[in-house]
Amino acid sequence: MTAGLSIRHVGLIACCCATAGIPAAMIVSTPGIFYPVVADELGVQTAEISAWMSVAMLSSALFSPLMGNVIGRVNLRPLALSCVIAAAIAMLAFSVATASWLFWLAGVAAGYSLVGCLSLVPAILVNRWFARHVGFLLGLYTAFTGIGGVVFLLVGQAAIDAVGWRATYQLFAVITLVVCVPLVLAFVRETPESCGLLPYGAHAGAGAQPASPDMVSESDRASIRLEVRAAYRTSLFWAVIAFGFLINLVCQTNGYFPKYVNWVNEQAAAGLVPMAFLAGAVLSSFAQAGNALGKIGLGAYSDFSVRQAIVLLVGAGMGGTLLVWQLPATPGLAVGGLVFGFFLAGVLVLVPMVVRYLYGSGPVYPLLYSRVSVAPTLGGAVGNIVWPWMADNLGGFDAVFATALACMAVILAIGLVVCRNR
C-alpha cells in the first residue's frame, strides 16, 4: 500500500509554486524590462546595471553549499522564510538605488533569496515529501518562474510606464511579502514524518524516504560525508558541474531579448533589415511561456527518461535560437522565443534530476545537489557579463547566438556521456 496525497502535500507544492512564481520570477525573469530604463536614468551602460544579476548568481553560488551544510541541523522553515524576506529587501533596495554599485550590493540579498525560493530548499522539500512524480513536481513548481515571468513582465512594463521603475520594484516587494510569508509559515515543514505522514507514493511500513534528518546518527553523517567526498573525486561529478554551468550560461541570453529586438530595429532604421516582428517585452513573455510549458513537460518526461529529456532540451534550445536569430521580422521570432523557453527548463528541472539519476534521493542528495547547483549560478553570473559585452563589442547579436549554439552542442555531448557512464 502506498501513501496518498494529503492537504499538507498539496500545500507544500502550492508554497513552492508561490515562491518560484513571485519573488524568484521577479528577480530572474523580469530584469530585461528594467535594464534599459535604469541605465538611461543613471547614465551608464546596460552591462553595468545588468552586472547585479551576476552578483546575485555569485551570491547564490556562495550560499548554496553553505545552506546545504546546515540543512539537517537547521529547520527548513526559517531558512525559507529568511529567503522570502531577503527577496523583498533586495527589491526595495533596487527601488532606492542611485548608483550601479548599490544594485550590485542588493544583488547579494537577491542571490541568497534564490537559494530558498527557487533552487535548493524547494528541491529538497519535494524530494523529501514525494517518492513518485518527482520530475513532474520539480517541473510544476519551477514552471511558475515562467508563469510569473509572463505575468510580471507585462504587469511590470505597464507599471514602469505608469509610475516608473522605482515604484514598480516597491510594488513587487509588497506582493512578495503579502503572498509568500503566510504560505511558508503554514506549509513548510522539515519532513512528512514530522507531521505524521509519509512521502507521497512511498510504501507504507517501508520507512522514511529519505530518513528524517533528526534520525541520522553521527556515524551515519560521517559515512555520508565520506560518500560525498568520494563523488567529488570522480570525473562524472565534474562533468555534471560543466553541464549545469553551460546550461545556465546559455539561458542568460533570454534576459537580453529586449536588447536584441532594439538591435534589430536599429538596423531596420538604417534600412538594412525589416523591423522586428515583436516588441522586446512581448518576445521575453513568449520565452517565459515556453519556460513554463517546458518545465512541466520536460519534468514529467525526465521521470521516464533523463537521457531523452536532455536531447529534447538541447533540440529546443538550438531550434529556438535559430528562429530568433534568423527570422526576426517574421512570426518565426515569436515561435523561436516560445521554443527557446523550453531550454530554460534545464537549470531547475534537469540539473536536479540528473543528480537524482546519478546519486539517488537519499541523505547524500542535499549535499551533492547543493554543490552542483553552484555551477549553474556561476554560469549565470558569467553569462550576464559575457553576452551583453559580446553584443556591445563584437558586432551585435550574431556572435552571441553563434556562441550559444556551440555551447548547446557541448551540453548535449556532456549529457549523453554522463547518462551512459551512470
Side-chain angles (χ1 to χ4, degrees):
M1 183 177 179
T2 58
L5 201 64
S6 73
I7 188 65
R8 286 199 169 273
H9 290 89
V10 175
L12 178 72
I13 291 299
C15 179
C16 291
C17 290
T19 59
I22 299 177
M26 290 171 175
I27 289 171
V28 302
S29 299
T30 66
I33 61 174
F34 288 94
Y35 291 155
V37 292
V38 174
D40 285 346
E41 180 172 320
L42 299 186
V44 297
Q45 285 193 345
T46 303
E48 191 172 331
I49 297 299
S50 66
W52 79 256
M53 182 60 79
S54 296
V55 174
M57 296 296 179
L58 292 171
S59 174
S60 289
L62 173 65
F63 284 113
S64 184
L66 293 177
M67 199 174 289
N69 287 338
V70 302
I71 287 174
R73 298 184 178 91
V74 177
N75 194 282
L76 286 174
R77 184 167 51 171
L79 283 178
L81 185 63
S82 70
C83 291
V84 168
I85 294 171
I89 290 172
M91 287 183 279
L92 289 173
F94 291 153
S95 74
V96 297
T98 55
S100 299
W101 68 269
L102 292 171
F103 279 87
W104 306 343
L105 187 62
V108 176
Y112 172 78
S113 73
L114 293 178
V115 181
C117 292
L118 184 58
S119 59
L120 183 63
V121 172
I124 290 172
L125 285 168
V126 169
N127 271 277
R128 287 181 178 175
W129 278 76
F130 296 86
R132 295 175 58 195
H133 307 307
V134 173
F136 169 75
L137 292 168
L138 288 173
L140 178 64
Y141 92 76
T142 58
F144 276 77
T145 57
I147 296 169
V150 172
V151 172
F152 290 113
L153 276 168
L154 299 176
V155 169
Q157 187 65 67
I160 289 170
D161 294 340
V163 296
W165 63 270
R166 295 184 185 275
T168 301
Y169 268 131
Q170 292 167 5
L171 174 65
F172 281 5
V174 170
I175 293 171
T176 294
L177 292 174
V178 169
V179 177
C180 295
V181 168
L183 285 172
V184 170
L185 291 174
F187 292 111
V188 174
R189 296 294 185 273
E190 195 75 8
T191 61
E193 291 83 1
S194 64
C195 302
L197 302 169
L198 286 174
Y200 170 73
H203 291 288
Q209 185 184 4
S212 172
D214 297 331
M215 298 169 62
V216 178
S217 68
E218 189 55 41
S219 62
D220 288 336
R221 291 185 192 278
S223 178
I224 291 166
R225 287 193 293 268
L226 287 173
E227 188 175 347
V228 169
R229 292 189 189 113
Y232 295 162
R233 294 192 290 269
T234 65
S235 58
L236 189 67
F237 177 82
W238 292 102
V240 176
I241 291 287
F243 179 80
F245 177 91
L246 289 172
I247 285 181
N248 207 24
L249 176 72
V250 175
C251 283
Q252 299 313 305
T253 59
N254 169 67
Y256 300 96
F257 278 178
K259 184 177 176 68
Y260 167 66
V261 170
N262 290 340
W263 178 70
V264 170
N265 289 337
E266 287 170 4
Q267 291 183 305
L272 300 176
V273 298
M275 294 286 287
F277 184 76
L278 296 174
V282 178
L283 178 60
S284 290
S285 295
F286 270 93
Q288 293 305 327
N291 181 10
L293 294 172
K295 283 172 177 172
I296 295 173
L298 286 168
Y301 199 78
S302 67
D303 283 322
F304 167 70
S305 172
V306 172
R307 180 186 290 105
Q308 293 181 30
I310 291 171
V311 174
L312 288 173
L313 177 85
V314 176
M318 286 184 164
T321 298
L322 286 170
L323 287 170
V324 169
W325 182 17
Q326 298 299 320
L327 301 174
T330 74
L333 181 64
V335 175
L338 184 71
V339 173
F340 181 80
F342 278 64
F343 185 82
L344 304 179
V347 175
L348 295 172
V349 176
L350 279 189
V351 172
M353 284 302 289
V354 166
V355 175
R356 180 185 173 93
Y357 177 75
L358 296 176
Y359 302 107
S361 61
V364 301
Y365 180 86
L367 287 170
L368 287 174
Y369 180 54
S370 69
R371 270 61 174 180
V372 170
S373 65
V374 171
T377 56
L378 291 177
V382 172
N384 275 284
I385 295 173
V386 168
W387 301 131
W389 180 87
M390 291 180 71
D392 289 337
N393 298 283
L394 294 181
F397 278 83
D398 291 335
V400 170
F401 290 136
T403 305
L405 286 169
C407 289
M408 283 186 271
V410 176
I411 290 166
L412 178 60
I414 292 174
L416 294 177
V417 169
V418 163
C419 291
R420 188 174 68 241
N421 292 280
R422 179 186 179 187

